[in-house]
Amino acid sequence: MGLFITFEGGEGSGKSFQARKLTKRLQELALPVVLTYEPGGTPLGNKIRLWLKRVDKFEVSPLTELMLFDASRAQLVNQVIKPNLEMGKIVICDRYTDSTLAYQGYGRGLNLEMISTINNAATLGLIPDLTVLLDIAVEAGLARKKNRKQDRFEREALAFHQRVREGYLKLAAEEPQRWLVVDTSQSKEETAGAIWHRVTQVFSQRGAPIT
């Protein structure tokens, strides 16, 4: 049974930690699970990731940023996500199309319909079965990263990150059946528990209950 779960959230939300934690818990149940991430997850995608997150020597326009993200995404879907889903595996992805809507759409101000069209082309219309949004106040999330080297996005103005967070919450409100919004100001254990509860519900709805 192929199942596609994505994790979304602003900077410092803890999504990568929770994606790994869920992957480990599913592995402990001997379920076939693959963890990947965006941008990246393939040799080509990892090169693009460096350009997008680390390059400081030249400016990257919002439209170029969008195209690079979706180039990486198209490769990831073709090479990793789609083949594993077709083999009946659970695929967990740290960021996916909703990141582009939140960051390049709400954050950068690009047209949302245009982004959706390009996202759809890059993914061949592949939509997650469940999207987990780890929500945290912008100031609190950025504070978690203040003692490490920041990438291009983490260095953006506070207003940018506020727009990204508001965008995520709007997207979640539009599709409540697909999204799970979790307040990550609570403990990591409580956050993981809320995620696990929803994941078990999804399995039960598919006729394959897990505990």
Side-chain angles (χ1 to χ4, degrees), residues 128-165:
D129 298 292
L130 171 64
T131 297
V132 179
L133 172 59
L134 299 178
D135 182 51
I136 189 171
V138 168
E139 295 88 347
L142 292 174
R144 291 179 175 180
K145 295 199 166 189
K146 66 181 180 180
N147 293 324
R148 48 159 279 185
K149 185 178 179 180
Q150 295 183 321
D151 64 29
R152 287 179 57 247
F153 295 96
E154 292 163 351
R155 290 197 299 269
E156 287 289 344
L158 192 64
F160 170 83
H161 294 288
Q162 294 284 11
R163 292 194 299 272
V164 169
R165 184 190 183 198

PDB file of all heavy atoms in Angstrom, residues 128-165:
ATOM      1  N   PRO A 128       0.127  14.569  -1.886  1.00  0.00           N
ATOM      2  CA  PRO A 128       0.323  13.757  -0.671  1.00  0.00           C
ATOM      3  C   PRO A 128      -1.002  13.247  -0.106  1.00  0.00           C
ATOM      4  O   PRO A 128      -2.053  13.882  -0.244  1.00  0.00           O
ATOM      5  CB  PRO A 128       0.985  14.747   0.304  1.00  0.00           C
ATOM      6  CG  PRO A 128       1.548  15.830  -0.556  1.00  0.00           C
ATOM      7  CD  PRO A 128       0.633  15.944  -1.729  1.00  0.00           C
ATOM      8  N   ASP A 129      -0.939  12.099   0.539  1.00  0.00           N
ATOM      9  CA  ASP A 129      -2.101  11.578   1.261  1.00  0.00           C
ATOM     10  C   ASP A 129      -2.284  12.319   2.576  1.00  0.00           C
ATOM     11  O   ASP A 129      -3.400  12.482   3.060  1.00  0.00           O
ATOM     12  CB  ASP A 129      -1.915  10.080   1.531  1.00  0.00           C
ATOM     13  CG  ASP A 129      -1.818   9.280   0.243  1.00  0.00           C
ATOM     14  OD1 ASP A 129      -2.829   9.194  -0.470  1.00  0.00           O
ATOM     15  OD2 ASP A 129      -0.720   8.769  -0.050  1.00  0.00           O
ATOM     16  N   LEU A 130      -1.175  12.757   3.158  1.00  0.00           N
ATOM     17  CA  LEU A 130      -1.203  13.498   4.417  1.00  0.00           C
ATOM     18  C   LEU A 130      -0.068  14.509   4.414  1.00  0.00           C
ATOM     19  O   LEU A 130       1.064  14.172   4.062  1.00  0.00           O
ATOM     20  CB  LEU A 130      -1.035  12.546   5.614  1.00  0.00           C
ATOM     21  CG  LEU A 130      -0.824  13.182   6.993  1.00  0.00           C
ATOM     22  CD1 LEU A 130      -2.051  13.987   7.414  1.00  0.00           C
ATOM     23  CD2 LEU A 130      -0.503  12.110   8.040  1.00  0.00           C
ATOM     24  N   THR A 131      -0.384  15.740   4.795  1.00  0.00           N
ATOM     25  CA  THR A 131       0.633  16.769   4.945  1.00  0.00           C
ATOM     26  C   THR A 131       0.610  17.267   6.381  1.00  0.00           C
ATOM     27  O   THR A 131      -0.428  17.717   6.872  1.00  0.00           O
ATOM     28  CB  THR A 131       0.394  17.942   3.973  1.00  0.00           C
ATOM     29  OG1 THR A 131       0.493  17.461   2.629  1.00  0.00           O
ATOM     30  CG2 THR A 131       1.419  19.047   4.192  1.00  0.00           C
ATOM     31  N   VAL A 132       1.742  17.163   7.048  1.00  0.00           N
ATOM     32  CA  VAL A 132       1.869  17.592   8.440  1.00  0.00           C
ATOM     33  C   VAL A 132       2.512  18.977   8.463  1.00  0.00           C
ATOM     34  O   VAL A 132       3.641  19.145   7.993  1.00  0.00           O
ATOM     35  CB  VAL A 132       2.723  16.600   9.247  1.00  0.00           C
ATOM     36  CG1 VAL A 132       2.869  17.084  10.691  1.00  0.00           C
ATOM     37  CG2 VAL A 132       2.119  15.195   9.195  1.00  0.00           C
ATOM     38  N   LEU A 133       1.799  19.944   8.996  1.00  0.00           N
ATOM     39  CA  LEU A 133       2.340  21.297   9.165  1.00  0.00           C
ATOM     40  C   LEU A 133       2.740  21.489  10.617  1.00  0.00           C
ATOM     41  O   LEU A 133       1.904  21.451  11.516  1.00  0.00           O
ATOM     42  CB  LEU A 133       1.304  22.348   8.774  1.00  0.00           C
ATOM     43  CG  LEU A 133       1.676  23.809   9.092  1.00  0.00           C
ATOM     44  CD1 LEU A 133       2.970  24.213   8.382  1.00  0.00           C
ATOM     45  CD2 LEU A 133       0.533  24.753   8.723  1.00  0.00           C
ATOM     46  N   LEU A 134       4.028  21.689  10.840  1.00  0.00           N
ATOM     47  CA  LEU A 134       4.524  21.967  12.182  1.00  0.00           C
ATOM     48  C   LEU A 134       4.576  23.477  12.341  1.00  0.00           C
ATOM     49  O   LEU A 134       5.428  24.152  11.761  1.00  0.00           O
ATOM     50  CB  LEU A 134       5.893  21.323  12.369  1.00  0.00           C
ATOM     51  CG  LEU A 134       5.863  19.793  12.226  1.00  0.00           C
ATOM     52  CD1 LEU A 134       7.238  19.205  12.377  1.00  0.00           C
ATOM     53  CD2 LEU A 134       4.913  19.169  13.235  1.00  0.00           C
ATOM     54  N   ASP A 135       3.647  23.984  13.113  1.00  0.00           N
ATOM     55  CA  ASP A 135       3.466  25.435  13.233  1.00  0.00           C
ATOM     56  C   ASP A 135       4.096  25.962  14.510  1.00  0.00           C
ATOM     57  O   ASP A 135       3.930  25.385  15.589  1.00  0.00           O
ATOM     58  CB  ASP A 135       1.962  25.758  13.226  1.00  0.00           C
ATOM     59  CG  ASP A 135       1.707  27.248  13.291  1.00  0.00           C
ATOM     60  OD1 ASP A 135       2.294  27.988  12.475  1.00  0.00           O
ATOM     61  OD2 ASP A 135       0.930  27.678  14.166  1.00  0.00           O
ATOM     62  N   ILE A 136       4.815  27.076  14.347  1.00  0.00           N
ATOM     63  CA  ILE A 136       5.459  27.724  15.489  1.00  0.00           C
ATOM     64  C   ILE A 136       5.545  29.218  15.204  1.00  0.00           C
ATOM     65  O   ILE A 136       5.640  29.631  14.044  1.00  0.00           O
ATOM     66  CB  ILE A 136       6.869  27.137  15.731  1.00  0.00           C
ATOM     67  CG1 ILE A 136       7.459  27.636  17.057  1.00  0.00           C
ATOM     68  CG2 ILE A 136       7.803  27.423  14.568  1.00  0.00           C
ATOM     69  CD1 ILE A 136       8.736  26.930  17.471  1.00  0.00           C
ATOM     70  N   ALA A 137       5.490  30.026  16.255  1.00  0.00           N
ATOM     71  CA  ALA A 137       5.650  31.464  16.087  1.00  0.00           C
ATOM     72  C   ALA A 137       6.988  31.747  15.412  1.00  0.00           C
ATOM     73  O   ALA A 137       8.001  31.108  15.722  1.00  0.00           O
ATOM     74  CB  ALA A 137       5.583  32.170  17.438  1.00  0.00           C
ATOM     75  N   VAL A 138       6.981  32.682  14.476  1.00  0.00           N
ATOM     76  CA  VAL A 138       8.172  32.959  13.673  1.00  0.00           C
ATOM     77  C   VAL A 138       9.389  33.270  14.544  1.00  0.00           C
ATOM     78  O   VAL A 138      10.483  32.722  14.333  1.00  0.00           O
ATOM     79  CB  VAL A 138       7.897  34.118  12.696  1.00  0.00           C
ATOM     80  CG1 VAL A 138       9.185  34.608  12.063  1.00  0.00           C
ATOM     81  CG2 VAL A 138       6.913  33.666  11.627  1.00  0.00           C
ATOM     82  N   GLU A 139       9.219  34.140  15.510  1.00  0.00           N
ATOM     83  CA  GLU A 139      10.345  34.529  16.364  1.00  0.00           C
ATOM     84  C   GLU A 139      10.928  33.318  17.106  1.00  0.00           C
ATOM     85  O   GLU A 139      12.147  33.185  17.227  1.00  0.00           O
ATOM     86  CB  GLU A 139       9.915  35.594  17.369  1.00  0.00           C
ATOM     87  CG  GLU A 139       9.500  36.921  16.749  1.00  0.00           C
ATOM     88  CD  GLU A 139       8.033  36.959  16.371  1.00  0.00           C
ATOM     89  OE1 GLU A 139       7.382  35.885  16.347  1.00  0.00           O
ATOM     90  OE2 GLU A 139       7.534  38.060  16.095  1.00  0.00           O
ATOM     91  N   ALA A 140      10.057  32.453  17.579  1.00  0.00           N
ATOM     92  CA  ALA A 140      10.510  31.276  18.315  1.00  0.00           C
ATOM     93  C   ALA A 140      11.256  30.310  17.400  1.00  0.00           C
ATOM     94  O   ALA A 140      12.281  29.735  17.786  1.00  0.00           O
ATOM     95  CB  ALA A 140       9.322  30.573  18.970  1.00  0.00           C
ATOM     96  N   GLY A 141      10.754  30.134  16.184  1.00  0.00           N
ATOM     97  CA  GLY A 141      11.419  29.243  15.236  1.00  0.00           C
ATOM     98  C   GLY A 141      12.799  29.736  14.843  1.00  0.00           C
ATOM     99  O   GLY A 141      13.767  28.973  14.820  1.00  0.00           O
ATOM    100  N   LEU A 142      12.901  31.026  14.542  1.00  0.00           N
ATOM    101  CA  LEU A 142      14.195  31.591  14.151  1.00  0.00           C
ATOM    102  C   LEU A 142      15.183  31.562  15.309  1.00  0.00           C
ATOM    103  O   LEU A 142      16.388  31.395  15.099  1.00  0.00           O
ATOM    104  CB  LEU A 142      14.002  33.019  13.639  1.00  0.00           C
ATOM    105  CG  LEU A 142      13.246  33.148  12.310  1.00  0.00           C
ATOM    106  CD1 LEU A 142      12.993  34.610  11.988  1.00  0.00           C
ATOM    107  CD2 LEU A 142      14.006  32.475  11.171  1.00  0.00           C
ATOM    108  N   ALA A 143      14.678  31.727  16.523  1.00  0.00           N
ATOM    109  CA  ALA A 143      15.561  31.703  17.698  1.00  0.00           C
ATOM    110  C   ALA A 143      16.237  30.347  17.855  1.00  0.00           C
ATOM    111  O   ALA A 143      17.363  30.259  18.352  1.00  0.00           O
ATOM    112  CB  ALA A 143      14.758  32.044  18.954  1.00  0.00           C
ATOM    113  N   ARG A 144      15.571  29.282  17.410  1.00  0.00           N
ATOM    114  CA  ARG A 144      16.155  27.946  17.502  1.00  0.00           C
ATOM    115  C   ARG A 144      17.377  27.797  16.601  1.00  0.00           C
ATOM    116  O   ARG A 144      18.186  26.897  16.793  1.00  0.00           O
ATOM    117  CB  ARG A 144      15.110  26.891  17.113  1.00  0.00           C
ATOM    118  CG  ARG A 144      13.971  26.726  18.107  1.00  0.00           C
ATOM    119  CD  ARG A 144      12.979  25.685  17.613  1.00  0.00           C
ATOM    120  NE  ARG A 144      11.931  25.414  18.589  1.00  0.00           N
ATOM    121  CZ  ARG A 144      10.937  24.544  18.400  1.00  0.00           C
ATOM    122  NH1 ARG A 144      10.875  23.864  17.261  1.00  0.00           N
ATOM    123  NH2 ARG A 144      10.028  24.359  19.325  1.00  0.00           N
ATOM    124  N   LYS A 145      17.510  28.681  15.616  1.00  0.00           N
ATOM    125  CA  LYS A 145      18.596  28.556  14.639  1.00  0.00           C
ATOM    126  C   LYS A 145      19.623  29.678  14.750  1.00  0.00           C
ATOM    127  O   LYS A 145      20.513  29.782  13.908  1.00  0.00           O
ATOM    128  CB  LYS A 145      18.018  28.537  13.225  1.00  0.00           C
ATOM    129  CG  LYS A 145      17.153  27.312  12.943  1.00  0.00           C
ATOM    130  CD  LYS A 145      16.989  27.093  11.458  1.00  0.00           C
ATOM    131  CE  LYS A 145      16.438  25.716  11.188  1.00  0.00           C
ATOM    132  NZ  LYS A 145      16.474  25.392   9.738  1.00  0.00           N
ATOM    133  N   LYS A 146      19.526  30.482  15.768  1.00  0.00           N
ATOM    134  CA  LYS A 146      20.378  31.674  15.848  1.00  0.00           C
ATOM    135  C   LYS A 146      21.851  31.347  16.063  1.00  0.00           C
ATOM    136  O   LYS A 146      22.717  32.156  15.754  1.00  0.00           O
ATOM    137  CB  LYS A 146      19.879  32.607  16.954  1.00  0.00           C
ATOM    138  CG  LYS A 146      20.002  32.042  18.357  1.00  0.00           C
ATOM    139  CD  LYS A 146      19.464  33.031  19.384  1.00  0.00           C
ATOM    140  CE  LYS A 146      19.593  32.475  20.795  1.00  0.00           C
ATOM    141  NZ  LYS A 146      19.079  33.428  21.803  1.00  0.00           N
ATOM    142  N   ASN A 147      22.167  30.173  16.596  1.00  0.00           N
ATOM    143  CA  ASN A 147      23.550  29.839  16.891  1.00  0.00           C
ATOM    144  C   ASN A 147      24.222  28.995  15.815  1.00  0.00           C
ATOM    145  O   ASN A 147      25.278  28.403  16.041  1.00  0.00           O
ATOM    146  CB  ASN A 147      23.625  29.097  18.231  1.00  0.00           C
ATOM    147  CG  ASN A 147      23.239  29.992  19.399  1.00  0.00           C
ATOM    148  OD1 ASN A 147      23.545  31.177  19.405  1.00  0.00           O
ATOM    149  ND2 ASN A 147      22.544  29.427  20.374  1.00  0.00           N
ATOM    150  N   ARG A 148      23.622  28.925  14.629  1.00  0.00           N
ATOM    151  CA  ARG A 148      24.221  28.182  13.532  1.00  0.00           C
ATOM    152  C   ARG A 148      24.268  29.058  12.290  1.00  0.00           C
ATOM    153  O   ARG A 148      23.596  30.092  12.221  1.00  0.00           O
ATOM    154  CB  ARG A 148      23.429  26.913  13.231  1.00  0.00           C
ATOM    155  CG  ARG A 148      21.931  27.118  13.125  1.00  0.00           C
ATOM    156  CD  ARG A 148      21.240  26.029  12.360  1.00  0.00           C
ATOM    157  NE  ARG A 148      21.368  26.252  10.928  1.00  0.00           N
ATOM    158  CZ  ARG A 148      20.773  25.500   9.994  1.00  0.00           C
ATOM    159  NH1 ARG A 148      20.036  24.476  10.370  1.00  0.00           N
ATOM    160  NH2 ARG A 148      20.915  25.766   8.720  1.00  0.00           N
ATOM    161  N   LYS A 149      25.075  28.655  11.320  1.00  0.00           N
ATOM    162  CA  LYS A 149      25.169  29.421  10.088  1.00  0.00           C
ATOM    163  C   LYS A 149      23.839  29.386   9.355  1.00  0.00           C
ATOM    164  O   LYS A 149      23.263  28.322   9.144  1.00  0.00           O
ATOM    165  CB  LYS A 149      26.271  28.853   9.194  1.00  0.00           C
ATOM    166  CG  LYS A 149      26.499  29.671   7.937  1.00  0.00           C
ATOM    167  CD  LYS A 149      27.638  29.101   7.108  1.00  0.00           C
ATOM    168  CE  LYS A 149      27.828  29.931   5.844  1.00  0.00           C
ATOM    169  NZ  LYS A 149      28.937  29.391   5.002  1.00  0.00           N
ATOM    170  N   GLN A 150      23.358  30.558   8.966  1.00  0.00           N
ATOM    171  CA  GLN A 150      22.039  30.657   8.347  1.00  0.00           C
ATOM    172  C   GLN A 150      22.133  30.603   6.826  1.00  0.00           C
ATOM    173  O   GLN A 150      23.076  31.121   6.222  1.00  0.00           O
ATOM    174  CB  GLN A 150      21.356  31.949   8.779  1.00  0.00           C
ATOM    175  CG  GLN A 150      21.041  31.998  10.264  1.00  0.00           C
ATOM    176  CD  GLN A 150      20.307  33.265  10.651  1.00  0.00           C
ATOM    177  OE1 GLN A 150      20.600  34.336  10.148  1.00  0.00           O
ATOM    178  NE2 GLN A 150      19.340  33.133  11.535  1.00  0.00           N
ATOM    179  N   ASP A 151      21.123  29.986   6.196  1.00  0.00           N
ATOM    180  CA  ASP A 151      21.080  29.943   4.739  1.00  0.00           C
ATOM    181  C   ASP A 151      20.326  31.159   4.199  1.00  0.00           C
ATOM    182  O   ASP A 151      19.915  32.040   4.965  1.00  0.00           O
ATOM    183  CB  ASP A 151      20.477  28.622   4.240  1.00  0.00           C
ATOM    184  CG  ASP A 151      19.011  28.440   4.642  1.00  0.00           C
ATOM    185  OD1 ASP A 151      18.288  29.447   4.800  1.00  0.00           O
ATOM    186  OD2 ASP A 151      18.582  27.285   4.777  1.00  0.00           O
ATOM    187  N   ARG A 152      20.135  31.220   2.895  1.00  0.00           N
ATOM    188  CA  ARG A 152      19.498  32.382   2.259  1.00  0.00           C
ATOM    189  C   ARG A 152      18.110  32.656   2.813  1.00  0.00           C
ATOM    190  O   ARG A 152      17.722  33.819   2.982  1.00  0.00           O
ATOM    191  CB  ARG A 152      19.378  32.152   0.748  1.00  0.00           C
ATOM    192  CG  ARG A 152      20.689  32.235  -0.016  1.00  0.00           C
ATOM    193  CD  ARG A 152      20.476  31.980  -1.508  1.00  0.00           C
ATOM    194  NE  ARG A 152      19.513  32.898  -2.076  1.00  0.00           N
ATOM    195  CZ  ARG A 152      18.309  32.549  -2.536  1.00  0.00           C
ATOM    196  NH1 ARG A 152      17.893  31.298  -2.472  1.00  0.00           N
ATOM    197  NH2 ARG A 152      17.501  33.449  -3.063  1.00  0.00           N
ATOM    198  N   PHE A 153      17.365  31.617   3.091  1.00  0.00           N
ATOM    199  CA  PHE A 153      15.992  31.804   3.543  1.00  0.00           C
ATOM    200  C   PHE A 153      15.935  32.209   5.012  1.00  0.00           C
ATOM    201  O   PHE A 153      15.125  33.052   5.400  1.00  0.00           O
ATOM    202  CB  PHE A 153      15.184  30.523   3.287  1.00  0.00           C
ATOM    203  CG  PHE A 153      15.033  30.211   1.830  1.00  0.00           C
ATOM    204  CD1 PHE A 153      15.895  29.337   1.204  1.00  0.00           C
ATOM    205  CD2 PHE A 153      14.058  30.838   1.069  1.00  0.00           C
ATOM    206  CE1 PHE A 153      15.775  29.064  -0.149  1.00  0.00           C
ATOM    207  CE2 PHE A 153      13.928  30.581  -0.283  1.00  0.00           C
ATOM    208  CZ  PHE A 153      14.791  29.685  -0.902  1.00  0.00           C
ATOM    209  N   GLU A 154      16.771  31.630   5.808  1.00  0.00           N
ATOM    210  CA  GLU A 154      16.784  31.967   7.232  1.00  0.00           C
ATOM    211  C   GLU A 154      17.190  33.421   7.466  1.00  0.00           C
ATOM    212  O   GLU A 154      16.815  34.018   8.465  1.00  0.00           O
ATOM    213  CB  GLU A 154      17.731  31.017   7.973  1.00  0.00           C
ATOM    214  CG  GLU A 154      17.228  29.580   8.018  1.00  0.00           C
ATOM    215  CD  GLU A 154      18.307  28.572   8.362  1.00  0.00           C
ATOM    216  OE1 GLU A 154      19.491  28.958   8.410  1.00  0.00           O
ATOM    217  OE2 GLU A 154      17.964  27.394   8.584  1.00  0.00           O
ATOM    218  N   ARG A 155      17.950  33.978   6.532  1.00  0.00           N
ATOM    219  CA  ARG A 155      18.391  35.366   6.676  1.00  0.00           C
ATOM    220  C   ARG A 155      17.349  36.388   6.207  1.00  0.00           C
ATOM    221  O   ARG A 155      17.568  37.594   6.344  1.00  0.00           O
ATOM    222  CB  ARG A 155      19.700  35.575   5.889  1.00  0.00           C
ATOM    223  CG  ARG A 155      20.900  34.871   6.489  1.00  0.00           C
ATOM    224  CD  ARG A 155      22.206  35.428   5.927  1.00  0.00           C
ATOM    225  NE  ARG A 155      22.295  35.259   4.488  1.00  0.00           N
ATOM    226  CZ  ARG A 155      22.845  34.197   3.895  1.00  0.00           C
ATOM    227  NH1 ARG A 155      23.332  33.204   4.626  1.00  0.00           N
ATOM    228  NH2 ARG A 155      22.914  34.114   2.579  1.00  0.00           N
ATOM    229  N   GLU A 156      16.243  35.927   5.678  1.00  0.00           N
ATOM    230  CA  GLU A 156      15.208  36.854   5.215  1.00  0.00           C
ATOM    231  C   GLU A 156      14.604  37.648   6.383  1.00  0.00           C
ATOM    232  O   GLU A 156      14.660  37.221   7.538  1.00  0.00           O
ATOM    233  CB  GLU A 156      14.093  36.083   4.495  1.00  0.00           C
ATOM    234  CG  GLU A 156      14.465  35.572   3.116  1.00  0.00           C
ATOM    235  CD  GLU A 156      14.581  36.697   2.098  1.00  0.00           C
ATOM    236  OE1 GLU A 156      14.088  37.808   2.371  1.00  0.00           O
ATOM    237  OE2 GLU A 156      15.162  36.456   1.022  1.00  0.00           O
ATOM    238  N   ALA A 157      13.991  38.779   6.043  1.00  0.00           N
ATOM    239  CA  ALA A 157      13.379  39.640   7.057  1.00  0.00           C
ATOM    240  C   ALA A 157      12.240  38.925   7.779  1.00  0.00           C
ATOM    241  O   ALA A 157      11.614  38.004   7.247  1.00  0.00           O
ATOM    242  CB  ALA A 157      12.857  40.920   6.404  1.00  0.00           C
ATOM    243  N   LEU A 158      11.976  39.381   8.985  1.00  0.00           N
ATOM    244  CA  LEU A 158      10.915  38.784   9.792  1.00  0.00           C
ATOM    245  C   LEU A 158       9.580  38.804   9.061  1.00  0.00           C
ATOM    246  O   LEU A 158       8.806  37.828   9.130  1.00  0.00           O
ATOM    247  CB  LEU A 158      10.799  39.543  11.123  1.00  0.00           C
ATOM    248  CG  LEU A 158       9.941  38.887  12.202  1.00  0.00           C
ATOM    249  CD1 LEU A 158      10.536  37.573  12.649  1.00  0.00           C
ATOM    250  CD2 LEU A 158       9.781  39.832  13.388  1.00  0.00           C
ATOM    251  N   ALA A 159       9.292  39.880   8.333  1.00  0.00           N
ATOM    252  CA  ALA A 159       8.020  39.992   7.613  1.00  0.00           C
ATOM    253  C   ALA A 159       7.862  38.879   6.588  1.00  0.00           C
ATOM    254  O   ALA A 159       6.754  38.371   6.356  1.00  0.00           O
ATOM    255  CB  ALA A 159       7.921  41.357   6.933  1.00  0.00           C
ATOM    256  N   PHE A 160       8.956  38.501   5.939  1.00  0.00           N
ATOM    257  CA  PHE A 160       8.920  37.397   4.971  1.00  0.00           C
ATOM    258  C   PHE A 160       8.471  36.115   5.658  1.00  0.00           C
ATOM    259  O   PHE A 160       7.583  35.404   5.166  1.00  0.00           O
ATOM    260  CB  PHE A 160      10.300  37.214   4.337  1.00  0.00           C
ATOM    261  CG  PHE A 160      10.435  35.970   3.502  1.00  0.00           C
ATOM    262  CD1 PHE A 160      10.004  35.942   2.193  1.00  0.00           C
ATOM    263  CD2 PHE A 160      11.013  34.814   4.040  1.00  0.00           C
ATOM    264  CE1 PHE A 160      10.132  34.795   1.414  1.00  0.00           C
ATOM    265  CE2 PHE A 160      11.149  33.664   3.275  1.00  0.00           C
ATOM    266  CZ  PHE A 160      10.699  33.659   1.962  1.00  0.00           C
ATOM    267  N   HIS A 161       9.072  35.805   6.782  1.00  0.00           N
ATOM    268  CA  HIS A 161       8.728  34.580   7.503  1.00  0.00           C
ATOM    269  C   HIS A 161       7.301  34.621   8.037  1.00  0.00           C
ATOM    270  O   HIS A 161       6.628  33.574   8.103  1.00  0.00           O
ATOM    271  CB  HIS A 161       9.727  34.358   8.638  1.00  0.00           C
ATOM    272  CG  HIS A 161      11.118  34.072   8.155  1.00  0.00           C
ATOM    273  ND1 HIS A 161      11.476  32.880   7.562  1.00  0.00           N
ATOM    274  CD2 HIS A 161      12.239  34.841   8.144  1.00  0.00           C
ATOM    275  CE1 HIS A 161      12.755  32.914   7.223  1.00  0.00           C
ATOM    276  NE2 HIS A 161      13.240  34.087   7.571  1.00  0.00           N
ATOM    277  N   GLN A 162       6.832  35.804   8.395  1.00  0.00           N
ATOM    278  CA  GLN A 162       5.433  35.933   8.827  1.00  0.00           C
ATOM    279  C   GLN A 162       4.493  35.602   7.677  1.00  0.00           C
ATOM    280  O   GLN A 162       3.476  34.922   7.860  1.00  0.00           O
ATOM    281  CB  GLN A 162       5.158  37.354   9.332  1.00  0.00           C
ATOM    282  CG  GLN A 162       5.894  37.740  10.605  1.00  0.00           C
ATOM    283  CD  GLN A 162       5.291  37.125  11.864  1.00  0.00           C
ATOM    284  OE1 GLN A 162       4.447  36.243  11.798  1.00  0.00           O
ATOM    285  NE2 GLN A 162       5.729  37.612  13.019  1.00  0.00           N
ATOM    286  N   ARG A 163       4.817  36.085   6.484  1.00  0.00           N
ATOM    287  CA  ARG A 163       3.977  35.800   5.314  1.00  0.00           C
ATOM    288  C   ARG A 163       3.976  34.303   4.987  1.00  0.00           C
ATOM    289  O   ARG A 163       2.945  33.735   4.621  1.00  0.00           O
ATOM    290  CB  ARG A 163       4.458  36.599   4.102  1.00  0.00           C
ATOM    291  CG  ARG A 163       4.265  38.098   4.216  1.00  0.00           C
ATOM    292  CD  ARG A 163       4.428  38.797   2.877  1.00  0.00           C
ATOM    293  NE  ARG A 163       5.757  38.626   2.301  1.00  0.00           N
ATOM    294  CZ  ARG A 163       6.793  39.413   2.549  1.00  0.00           C
ATOM    295  NH1 ARG A 163       6.665  40.430   3.400  1.00  0.00           N
ATOM    296  NH2 ARG A 163       7.976  39.199   1.971  1.00  0.00           N
ATOM    297  N   VAL A 164       5.136  33.677   5.140  1.00  0.00           N
ATOM    298  CA  VAL A 164       5.233  32.235   4.895  1.00  0.00           C
ATOM    299  C   VAL A 164       4.343  31.473   5.871  1.00  0.00           C
ATOM    300  O   VAL A 164       3.577  30.584   5.471  1.00  0.00           O
ATOM    301  CB  VAL A 164       6.692  31.766   5.012  1.00  0.00           C
ATOM    302  CG1 VAL A 164       6.774  30.236   5.028  1.00  0.00           C
ATOM    303  CG2 VAL A 164       7.523  32.322   3.863  1.00  0.00           C
ATOM    304  N   ARG A 165       4.419  31.835   7.147  1.00  0.00           N
ATOM    305  CA  ARG A 165       3.593  31.143   8.141  1.00  0.00           C
ATOM    306  C   ARG A 165       2.105  31.342   7.858  1.00  0.00           C
ATOM    307  O   ARG A 165       1.316  30.382   7.903  1.00  0.00           O
ATOM    308  CB  ARG A 165       3.921  31.652   9.548  1.00  0.00           C
ATOM    309  CG  ARG A 165       3.154  30.894  10.630  1.00  0.00           C
ATOM    310  CD  ARG A 165       3.284  31.532  11.987  1.00  0.00           C
ATOM    311  NE  ARG A 165       2.591  30.741  13.001  1.00  0.00           N
ATOM    312  CZ  ARG A 165       2.233  31.191  14.198  1.00  0.00           C
ATOM    313  NH1 ARG A 165       2.543  32.446  14.554  1.00  0.00           N
ATOM    314  NH2 ARG A 165       1.591  30.406  15.051  1.00  0.00           N
TER     315      ARG A 165
END
